[in-house]
Amino acid sequence: MSSSLKSTRLQEIKAEILSLLNVLSDKVDLERKFGANYLQLSPIRKIYTSSEEDVISQQLTRKPHLDTHNERIKVELNKSEKIKELKKLEKQVKQCTKCELCKGRTNVVFGTGAPDADLMFVGEAPGHYEDVQGEPFVGRAGQLLTRIIESIGMKRDEVYIANILKCRPPGNRNPNANEIALCTPHLIKQIEIIRPKIICALGTFAAQTLLDTKETIGKLRGKFFEYQGTKLLATYHPAYLLRNPNDKKKVWADMKKVRDYLKEGTS
């Protein structure tokens, strides 16, 4: 085999190995987070030469390379840098076709608000009005969220608002495990860019996904947790409050904790 052909063959093997490692990583993550056995791996029947087996052995001892979209941002960015990084990420997300939701969306609902916000709200998924306008929380639940933000002395444009999913599930159904697993990296990158002082997870899916738990929102709400060095507090989703207005007082109690935490951080 000529050196050029050998080099090409080795590159093909490397690509196959990395692809397999990525699939295995996704499968393990799905099962760890959601108890799902979504990804089925086909048996590998390919036979490699001894020299190719050496390459495989070397590759399996290395960590797979992460593309720039998934790399952790290790330094604090200034406001202009955050704006630039968010725009770059939004462009990537708008081109995402990893799950079936891309086929039915009108708009990708990336996120909105201050790029250097101290407070970040994370919801579940876009609804009809969000899908039409391309902005999170613009329907009735969004109007209620705006009032909740104002109740702690802040304005909507002073916080950042995003969702676990960036595309609307058909019929506003609940997100499934595969959609969450494929879309959550976008949100994680947003959080890493913005670096809020506190994250407020709205509802079951946001809280369970970020905290990697199956506990109910009733048990999670009102407590502070650590999320990658950031405080996280879960509370009820505004859409839930529209159906259960008696629980608004519980959310008010939760939001007072958020307000007090932010005040302590600036005092």
Side-chain angles (χ1 to χ4, degrees), residues 25-229:
S25 176
D26 287 343
K27 179 179 174 66
V28 170
D29 190 56
L30 275 171
E31 292 183 343
R32 179 176 64 83
K33 284 187 173 183
F34 306 106
N37 188 20
Y38 182 84
L39 297 174
Q40 301 296 326
L41 301 181
S42 300
I44 300 174
R45 298 190 177 94
K46 209 161 191 175
I47 298 174
Y48 298 100
T49 67
S50 59
S51 62
E52 291 173 343
E53 287 176 350
D54 290 340
V55 174
I56 292 173
S57 177
Q58 293 172 12
Q59 290 295 325
L60 289 176
T61 60
R62 300 175 187 170
K63 294 181 70 176
H65 173 72
L66 297 176
D67 60 32
T68 55
H69 176 66
N70 290 322
E71 287 178 351
R72 296 291 302 275
I73 294 178
K74 298 179 176 63
V75 295
E76 181 70 30
L77 305 176
N78 60 40
K79 185 174 181 179
S80 62
E81 290 171 333
K82 290 181 178 183
I83 292 172
K84 182 179 178 180
E85 288 298 317
L86 286 170
K87 285 182 178 179
K88 183 166 66 175
L89 178 61
E90 183 174 9
K91 183 178 179 180
Q92 293 172 339
V93 175
K94 285 183 175 180
Q95 296 171 349
C96 180
T97 57
K98 290 181 179 179
C99 77
E100 293 296 311
L101 296 182
C102 68
K103 297 179 180 179
R105 70 190 179 206
T106 304
N107 286 295
V108 168
V109 184
F110 178 70
T112 187
D116 56 349
D118 289 336
L119 174 59
M120 181 173 181
F121 289 91
V122 176
E124 175 182 313
H128 169 73
Y129 295 105
E130 290 76 17
D131 178 56
V132 170
Q133 298 185 37
E135 184 174 330
F137 285 91
V138 293
R140 290 181 61 216
Q143 294 169 10
L144 178 53
L145 178 60
T146 299
R147 295 198 295 272
I148 290 171
I149 295 168
E150 293 172 347
S151 74
I152 58 172
M154 300 184 74
K155 297 179 181 178
R156 185 180 169 110
D157 60 7
E158 293 176 329
V159 306
Y160 196 90
I161 306 172
N163 283 307
I164 296 292
L165 299 190
K166 306 306 183 189
C167 299
R168 180 196 180 197
N172 290 353
R173 63 159 171 76
N174 291 334
N176 65 42
N178 183 53
E179 293 161 355
I180 292 173
L182 292 173
C183 208
T184 298
H186 301 319
L187 174 66
I188 292 173
K189 188 69 178 291
Q190 283 176 295
I191 294 172
E192 290 173 352
I193 294 170
I194 297 165
R195 295 226 182 160
K197 292 179 179 177
I198 186 168
I199 298 168
C200 186
L202 300 171
T204 298
F205 288 92
Q208 289 183 345
T209 299
L210 292 175
L211 295 175
D212 192 13
T213 182
K214 293 183 179 179
E215 285 284 2
T216 64
I217 186 63
K219 292 183 178 180
L220 294 172
R221 60 151 290 271
K223 303 172 185 176
F224 281 109
F225 298 90
E226 290 289 331
Y227 176 78
Q228 298 185 5

